[in-house]
Amino acid sequence: MRKYVIMGVQGSGKGTQSQLLCEEFDLVHISVGDIFRWHVRNHTKLGAQVRRIMAAGELVDDDLVESVVRRRLDDHDWNYGFVIDGFPRNGRQAEFFMESYDIDAVIHLELPDDEVRRRVLSRRLCPNCGMDYNLIADRPEQEGRCDICGHELVTRADDTPEALEARLRDYHEKTRPVLELFRRKEVVHDVDGRPPLGDVQQAIRTTLGLPAYKG
């Protein structure tokens, strides 16, 4: 069983790299951000709460995040393991996580702030079917329209310059110290997140001792 945590600032490619690992090795991808976005799209009570927080450019509080992660992992549908991204984001969450689960490795995707801004502010989302686009590397065929359902694309509520700056500041102040906690257990693997997608995936597999990525 493989249990991995993937960390990095928003826009570093955590979700994409997690999915590539999960597809080949039968792992379950657990994205805290995706869970919250599902609730927002489906207008649940939790979704309304998260929408207000995201619109303000703030992060969901520890108690709520921990309860969501605990419920998801309690499903025990990860027979061969999991890759979790978006958690932990601070020292308290890291301590909770390390007390509850034995982690095999923490993959840390490194990305300079300027590149984060370039990537994140180019993202677009289809509010109808949930398809993600990036105007740098994954543009829709018709400008401003989803290739799947034709709905008009929007910018995520939390992808404004102001909200991004708040998240960058929060990441450097709170999340980076989490890496130091994991480093004490010698499970952190630093990977450059700037190269093309396939190169980053291969670097992750090399450092984890996994079979090569064939694209």
Side-chain angles (χ1 to χ4, degrees), residues 71-91:
R71 284 201 302 270
R72 180 63 187 86
L73 289 172
D74 283 348
D75 287 344
H76 287 289
D77 58 346
W78 34 278
N79 296 330
Y80 297 100
F82 59 76
V83 180
I84 186 166
D85 80 70
F87 185 90
R89 293 182 308 206
N90 58 43

Side-chain angles (χ1 to χ4, degrees), residues 149-163:
C149 67
H151 199 282
E152 183 177 359
L153 301 179
V154 300
T155 299
R156 290 180 185 173
D158 59 339
D159 275 355
T160 64
E162 296 77 16

Side-chain angles (χ1 to χ4, degrees), residues 106-197:
V106 175
I107 304 151
H108 173 223
L109 297 177
E110 299 182 295
L111 199 68
D113 286 358
D114 287 347
E115 179 64 11
V116 172
R117 295 184 184 96
R118 189 177 79 93
R119 292 186 182 187
V120 170
L121 298 180
S122 297
R123 298 194 304 196
R124 298 295 183 271
L125 173 71
C126 176
N128 185 52
C129 70
M131 187 72 177
D132 281 311
Y133 295 88
N134 189 292
L135 302 184
I136 299 171
D138 186 26
R139 302 181 68 90
E141 292 183 8
Q142 181 182 351
E143 187 75 22
R145 293 283 173 181
C146 178
D147 293 340
I148 305 300
C149 67
H151 199 282
E152 183 177 359
L153 301 179
V154 300
T155 299
R156 290 180 185 173
D158 59 339
D159 275 355
T160 64
E162 296 77 16
L164 175 58
E165 291 306 316
R167 289 199 303 279
L168 279 171
R169 183 170 58 252
D170 201 89
Y171 177 80
H172 291 304
E173 291 176 358
K174 297 180 181 178
T175 308
R176 278 195 174 276
V178 173
L179 284 167
E180 300 311 312
L181 290 175
F182 283 130
R183 288 188 197 283
R184 294 174 193 169
K185 292 184 173 291
E186 300 182 346
V187 294
V188 177
H189 302 272
D190 296 310
V191 175
D192 188 351
R194 292 173 296 180
L197 178 152

